[in-house]
Amino acid sequence: MIKLKVPISEEEIRKLKVGDEVLLSGIIVTARDQAHKLMVEKKPDFIRPYLKESVIYHCGPIVKKNPDGSWSFVSAGPTTSIREEPYEADVICEYNVRGIIGKGGMREKTLEALQRCGAVYFHAIGGAGALIAKSVKRVVDVFKLEEFGTPEAFWVIEVEDLPLVVTMDSHGNSLHEKILKESEKKAKELIGIQD
Amino acid sequence: MDLTEAFVELLRRASTDLPPDVEQALKEAYEREDEGTPAKSVLRTILTNVKLARENSVPMCQDTGSLIFYLDMPEGEKESYYKDIIRKAAAIATEKQYLRPNAVDPITGKNSGNNVGKNAPFFHISRWDKDIIRVRLLLKGGGSENVGTQYKLPYAPLKAGRDLEGVRKVIIDAVYKAQGLGCAPGTLGIGIGGDRTTSYMLSKEQFFRKMGERHPEKVIADFEMRLKDELNQLNIGPMGFGGKTTVLDVFVDYQHRHPATFYVAISYNCWAFRRKTMIIKNGEVTYYD
């Protein structure tokens, strides 16, 4: 198990390989569909300091507002990453992001950006919302809450020992591509069709 | 107990308490995987999460799904009475964070904020001769719903004809295409025959079967077992990381079709298989998994 702390240098991230299990700590940012669209189309600066050498988490959390006005994460597993495929490569390189957390993996365009700009894709455990919320120690800030709503807002959160698996690294390797190819071969064999 | 509260409790249980048969199937999957593999550690994390959600009464998954209610009630019971109560309960359960606000207006893009909207929650209501009301609830996640699909046989790309062998081929294809995206290991509900709508309806109703509960007809039961075995040979595994368990179970049922059509509907349920039942008898409420 590798312990990793934000900010993450390019050298550190390039050491990671597909299959590595990681415990991530530090300040990261949740962003999904509307946030990605905004980052590509408007390139807002308010989120820049939080993203530099940090990590984006594809997550639409359940969040509770406490009586003192602060926020707590109740359940916060990953959402499907592939929806951000059109945007992610630009976001990674524009904002110097070192990692993307999500589920299901991403495709060629993102894989190429991971290689070019020095970042990895971390897979979180889909559905493990209660457990992951326990790793969220505090909510540092939130942006676009009114406009985007709870699941789509940028939540800036501090996490401790968030359990992750590297499934796409900065050397062009993707576990998702490997499993896809192997399962395709087996599926064809079971169905009885030739290449 | 006030009936609105009883429905809030039903929603809480569904969201936070994984049925024991599903948990058992996940434990067996954990035992099967090899030490030191990502598959094993995924299943360990899932099982820890299930326990934590139950103990702390928090949603096991932040996507608390679409709310699908199946109500069976005697003649004479007023539908609108129950619908109103359930809508109210959904709003309260959202406020209590048992549910995430998951009802979005597709035209304006606005989230209603309380899980109530047009056809949200959704109700399947039928009448029966018993003097009790049965409420069955599915919380169906969006990620797994997106990998569900419907085939029309014959399906040329796979040389899938209008028979059980053709059905087998398209199911393998659907699970291969889903990879880990439906939050594998998943459970399949398969509806064969019917029309576009009813084939999907039949597929979703299969989710009220218990893990390992086979179809009463031997031909279908054998077909389910064969599919489960073959799909687990795909090595997609938990979360799509590779591994021995791609599906926890496969439930198949069929209905008569029009001579010109042959649909196969495939519904995929994520590992966080959330279903609960509530029986109302003489005002008394009992919960079942």
Side-chain angles (χ1 to χ4, degrees), chain B residues 3-233:
Chain B
L3 202 53
T4 309
E5 275 174 43
F7 276 102
V8 174
E9 175 61 10
L10 179 68
L11 288 160
R12 186 195 70 80
R13 287 182 185 227
S15 175
T16 65
D17 180 22
L18 191 74
D21 59 307
V22 182
E23 190 174 4
Q24 183 56 35
L26 287 166
K27 280 182 185 161
E28 286 163 17
Y30 171 74
E31 295 302 328
R32 264 196 306 274
E33 297 293 349
D34 297 327
E35 282 300 335
T37 55
K40 187 113 181 161
S41 81
V42 165
L43 288 162
R44 188 184 305 119
T45 306
I46 286 175
L47 287 165
T48 310
N49 179 70
V50 166
K51 196 162 163 275
L52 191 73
R54 185 181 292 132
E55 283 169 7
N56 297 349
S57 188
V58 294
M60 64 188 87
C61 177
Q62 78 293 336
D63 178 6
T64 54
S66 294
L67 281 48
I68 314 172
F69 282 90
Y70 294 75
L71 281 87
D72 302 288
M73 50 173 74
E75 299 291 344
E77 289 286 351
K78 217 173 148 193
E79 281 183 31
S80 60
Y81 172 73
Y82 290 94
K83 284 182 174 174
D84 287 346
I85 286 181
I86 290 171
R87 288 194 196 101
K88 212 165 112 191
I92 294 170
T94 312
E95 212 177 284
K96 290 182 177 246
Q97 273 110 23
Y98 302 143
L99 302 175
R100 184 179 74 179
N102 268 358
V104 179
D105 181 324
I107 309 303
T108 64
K110 202 167 161 46
N111 192 319
S112 75
N114 62 1
N115 277 300
V116 181
K118 276 195 182 181
N119 274 339
F122 192 83
F123 302 99
H124 294 272
I125 298 181
S126 45
R127 301 288 172 168
W128 64 1
D129 293 335
K130 298 177 186 173
D131 61 355
I132 56 171
I133 298 171
R134 182 177 67 172
V135 183
R136 294 178 302 167
L137 168 63
L138 269 187
L139 300 181
K140 184 69 175 62
S144 67
E145 191 64 8
N146 276 335
V147 299
T149 185
Q150 188 178 54
Y151 289 83
K152 181 176 73 176
L153 299 182
Y155 184 67
L158 304 178
K159 297 194 176 72
R162 292 184 153 188
D163 50 24
L164 213 48
E165 177 59 11
V167 175
R168 188 185 70 87
K169 289 179 178 179
V170 296
I171 293 169
I172 292 169
D173 189 53
V175 173
Y176 152 68
K177 283 181 179 150
Q179 292 289 303
L181 288 173
C183 276
T187 302
L188 302 186
I190 311 289
I192 306 171
D195 66 16
R196 290 277 187 194
T197 310
T198 58
S199 70
Y200 266 129
M201 276 172 65
L202 188 64
S203 72
K204 281 234 173 69
E205 274 171 41
Q206 303 316 305
F207 292 141
F208 290 104
R209 279 159 71 178
K210 293 273 161 63
M211 290 290 154
E213 186 183 327
R214 297 275 64 89
H215 194 278
E217 293 172 38
K218 191 171 182 301
V219 175
I220 306 299
D222 290 348
F223 184 62
E224 291 172 339
M225 293 299 287
R226 180 181 176 189
L227 271 170
K228 185 181 163 185
D229 175 57
E230 290 186 343
L231 293 170
N232 283 333
Q233 292 175 33

Side-chain angles (χ1 to χ4, degrees), chain A residues 19 21 32 34 59-65 74-80 82-83 103-105 123-132 134 150-151 163 165 167 175-176 179-180 182-184 186-187 189-193, chain B residues 36-38 41-42 45-46 48-49 52-53 56 58-62 64 97-101 109 111 143 146 157-159 165 168-169 172-173 176 179-183 230-231 233-236 239-242 271-272:
Chain A
E21 295 190 39
R32 41 188 286 167
Q34 296 198 53
C59 170
I62 299 178
V63 189
K64 184 173 82 181
K65 189 161 197 172
V74 175
S75 196
T79 190
T80 306
I82 198 68
R83 293 194 307 270
K103 74 175 169 94
H123 204 295
I125 310 305
L131 186 73
I132 294 172
K134 275 198 78 163
T150 304
V165 179
T167 56
L175 177 66
H176 306 285
I179 299 291
L180 184 73
E182 289 172 5
S183 60
E184 183 185 17
K186 188 71 199 176
E189 185 189 313
L190 289 167
I191 293 170
I193 46 175
Chain B
T37 55
S41 81
V42 165
T45 306
I46 286 175
T48 310
N49 179 70
L52 191 73
N56 297 349
V58 294
M60 64 188 87
C61 177
Q62 78 293 336
T64 54
Q97 273 110 23
Y98 302 143
L99 302 175
R100 184 179 74 179
N111 192 319
N146 276 335
L158 304 178
K159 297 194 176 72
E165 177 59 11
R168 188 185 70 87
K169 289 179 178 179
I172 292 169
D173 189 53
Y176 152 68
Q179 292 289 303
L181 288 173
C183 276
E230 290 186 343
L231 293 170
Q233 292 175 33
L234 291 176
N235 192 38
I236 292 168
M239 288 299 131
F241 292 177
W271 68 257

